[in-house]
């Protein structure tokens, strides 16, 4: 099934690629998953402890997707280049 | 045997009057001149083992062993201290005289020290050594009790970890030596290696062994561990669980499933019936799931009596969601164990 660490790394890179190519305004806004600005959403943003638990699962997922898109778009270009070169050079 | 009419003469043990002389072993091309003796015995040598020595009394072998033990320690701990008198290395067969040989040995010691410092400086921050040591601080009785707990967790009464050990003012969890409920890393590491060996053994018994099976099994086991850890950690993040256990703890909890997998593999090797095999598999899965449920309950649900100030109260919906998540974690173990059992 999994014949080595290479397949694990490819699996992870593909998943992160899939998250990174989601378009903000063409797709996520259409289905209502756009990253909401924080102070407007949670009016009762009191203590940080309560705030983290009041955010809810959906808001966290949206947060995670937007974080992956913001942070990983540029490193993913480099990683994908590396993998493409590696796949070309592999016999 | 003929019967002598007289009593036999009194037995006389041979008592040599001088210490036995052991000739020097011939110098092979690989070793320098002479066998490098690590004993501080005189050149007219007593043999290193005590059984060849004359029976002058039973204190002698112990003296030999004590004399030999100290220089051996000096050679073993050459990188750390050289307070014992190290006999000078005799490299004259290699064309070096005594001073150069000493210099070479000092250079080697310095290089080793520098290497250790480099490793500890650069990679010391990556692997928290103190946390690792805490997880490997186990005793024999802990291992036996923990294995028994993994196989029969139903009757165990208190599942909370003890927290008394307050060094440097901070209260930490008790080490596995004192607390049965504390997760360790010794059993998961041992079970991981044993699982790889058991999988190779079973594939060898079925005449389909090739050396890549070891690597494939290892990769598969690491993948399962990683997926389990990511699932628990991701679920804790999504549900907003505060301080959801350290990474090593979650890896330890994930590694306990290898024990059940090994038991299942052994049962599969011993019997040929499918029903017994699946019964053992189901039982170990249930035991592992129950164990994880009880152990992670104190991590996920803030119901424990410790530290009520840092953890806020959860609403009823949140609590039921967390309980569902715990149940899901326990149930998905059957998927992981199913992957692992397919050798």
């Amino acid at each position: 099934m999994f014949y080595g660490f290479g397949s694990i790394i490819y699996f992870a890179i593909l998943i992160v690629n899939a998250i990174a190519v989601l378009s903000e305004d063409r797709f996520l806004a259409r289905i209502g998953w756009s990253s909401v600005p924080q102070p407007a959403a949670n009016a009762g943003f009191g203590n940080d402890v309560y705030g983290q638990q009041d955010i809810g699962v959906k808001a966290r997922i949206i947060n995670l997707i937007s974080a992956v898109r913001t942070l990983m778009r540029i490193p993913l270009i480099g990683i994908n280049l590396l993998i493409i070169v590696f796949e070309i050079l592999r016999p | 045997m003929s019967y002598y009419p007289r009593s036999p003469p009194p037995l006389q043990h041979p008592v040599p009057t001088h210490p036995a002389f052991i000739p020097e072993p011939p110098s092979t091309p690989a070793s320098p001149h002479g066998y490098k003796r690590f004993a501080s015995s005189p050149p007219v040598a007593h043999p290193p083992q005590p059984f060849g020595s004359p029976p002058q009394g039973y204190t002698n072998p112990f003296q030999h062993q004590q004399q030999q033990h100290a220089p051996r320690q000096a050679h073993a701990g050459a990188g750390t201290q050289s307070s014992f008198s190290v006999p000078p290395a005799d490299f004259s067969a290699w064309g070096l005289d005594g001073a150069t040989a000493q210099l070479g040995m000092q250079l080697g010691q310095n290089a080793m020290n520098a290497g250790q410092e480099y490793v500890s400086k650069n990679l010391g921050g990556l692997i928290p050594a103190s946390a690792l040591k805490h997880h490997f601080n186990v005793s024999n009785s802990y291992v036996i009790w923990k294995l028994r707990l993994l196989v029969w967790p139903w009757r165990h009464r208190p599942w909370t970890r003890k927290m008394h050990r307050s060094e440097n003012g901070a209260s930490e969890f008790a080490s596995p030596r004192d607390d049965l409920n504390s997760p360790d890393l010794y059993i998961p590491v041992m079970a991981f290696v044993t699982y790889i060996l058991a999988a190779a053994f079973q594939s060898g018994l079925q005449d389909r062994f090739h050396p890549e099976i070891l690597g494939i099994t290892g990769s598969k086991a690491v993948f399962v561990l990683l997926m389990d850890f990511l699932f628990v950690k991701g679920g804790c993040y999504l549900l907003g669980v505060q301080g959801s256990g350290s990474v090593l703890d979650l890896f330890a909890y994930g590694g306990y499933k290898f024990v059940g997998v090994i038991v299942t593999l052994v049962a599969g090797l011993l019997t040929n019936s499918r029903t017994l095999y699946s019964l053992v598999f189901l039982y170990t899965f249930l035991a592992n799931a129950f164990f994880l449920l009880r152990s992670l309950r104190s991590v996920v649900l803030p119901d424990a009596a410790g530290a009520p100030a840092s953890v806020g109260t959860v609403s009823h919906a949140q609590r039921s969601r967390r309980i569902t998540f715990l149940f899901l974690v326990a149930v998905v173990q059957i998927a992981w164990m199913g992957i692992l059992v397919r050798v």
Side-chain angles (χ1 to χ4, degrees), chain B residues 306-329:
Chain B
S310 64
V311 178
T313 59
V314 280
S315 63
H316 196 65
Q318 290 254 341
R319 198 182 165 81
S320 69
R321 212 178 291 169
R322 288 191 189 185
I323 292 181
T324 312
F325 165 67
L326 257 187
F327 192 67
L328 212 61
V329 165

Side-chain angles (χ1 to χ4, degrees), chain B residues 3 11 19 32 67 70 79 81 101 126 130 137 177 196 203 214-215 229 232 235 260 295 335-337 341:
Chain B
Y3 179 75
L11 292 173
Q67 283 177 4
Q81 55 178 353
L126 283 182
S130 63
N137 186 20
R177 221 173 248 272
I196 295 181
S203 65
L214 296 172
F229 166 72
V232 173
S295 302
W336 307 136
M337 288 174 77
V341 151

